[in-house]
Amino acid sequence: METNSVQETPAPATTPQHHDVETDTPPSSSAPRVGTKLCLGGTLVSFIAYIIYGSRTSRGTTAVFMQFLSWVEARPLAGTFAFAAFYALATILFVPPSVLTLGGAFVFANALGLPAGVLATVVSVFVGSVAGSLVTFFLGRYLLCEWTARLLLRRASLRGVAWALETQGLAVTYNVL
């Protein structure tokens, strides 16, 4: 007697496979990391809220930026390194860089003259943006990787974006540009 046994093939996964995210970790080992992440997230949210509030009310934030730029103008060499570090922090916090770049060019051109000021601005903006991008990459890759994986599993629209990036990443990148 012959039996009709149909073997079902598993359906293709609609979510991206994240092999480097550990899901079987005991809760006690992730407790310190959660506290660190909450502290870091709270600090970032507080800073962003301060910037938004300060820009809306024109109290405090503008004065702090103007003092920083005048300090950079008074000390051009130290100001170049300080401006690069400030630019890196602004890159991490998603502050629009155009105002910082123009402000740095104005300050360095006044302090050093036009050719040297433009060169100092280009160098400090380049170093600051690359350093900020590297820190942002490592934050997203290592510190926030588990959170991103959980977010992808909860939201269908993000799963679609992740799937498109995994299957046709280069095409998606060119279409975004």
Side-chain angles (χ1 to χ4, degrees):
M1 181 175 244
E2 191 173 309
T3 60
N4 291 337
S5 64
V6 177
Q7 293 182 349
E8 293 183 13
T9 58
T14 57
T15 60
Q17 302 296 321
H18 297 283
H19 298 290
D20 52 346
V21 176
E22 295 181 16
T23 57
D24 297 331
T25 57
S28 62
S29 68
S30 64
R33 295 183 74 193
V34 170
T36 303
K37 290 177 184 180
L38 286 175
C39 182
L40 179 65
T43 303
L44 290 176
V45 167
S46 299
F47 184 74
I48 291 170
Y50 172 74
I51 295 293
I52 291 171
Y53 175 76
S55 66
R56 293 242 178 215
T57 59
S58 297
R59 287 185 229 145
T61 308
T62 306
V64 169
F65 287 136
M66 293 306 291
Q67 285 176 342
F68 177 72
L69 291 177
S70 65
W71 181 85
V72 169
E73 188 174 357
R75 297 163 190 83
L77 183 61
T80 303
F81 292 110
F83 188 76
F86 187 72
Y87 202 92
L89 180 66
T91 302
I92 294 167
L93 297 175
F94 300 114
V95 174
S98 58
V99 175
L100 289 176
T101 305
L102 292 174
F106 176 75
V107 168
F108 285 124
N110 282 337
L112 302 172
L114 189 60
V118 169
L119 182 65
T121 303
V122 167
V123 168
S124 61
V125 164
F126 178 76
V127 169
S129 64
V130 168
S133 298
L134 285 172
V135 169
T136 303
F137 171 76
F138 285 116
L139 281 174
R141 178 69 175 106
Y142 296 109
L143 187 64
L144 302 173
C145 182
E146 295 168 2
W147 176 76
T148 306
R150 286 193 308 268
L151 188 65
L152 283 174
L153 292 175
R154 284 188 297 208
R155 309 232 177 172
S157 61
L158 293 179
R159 280 195 306 264
V161 170
W163 177 81
L165 285 172
E166 283 185 7
T167 58
Q168 299 173 351
L170 188 61
V172 171
T173 303
Y174 281 128
N175 284 331
V176 170
L177 296 177

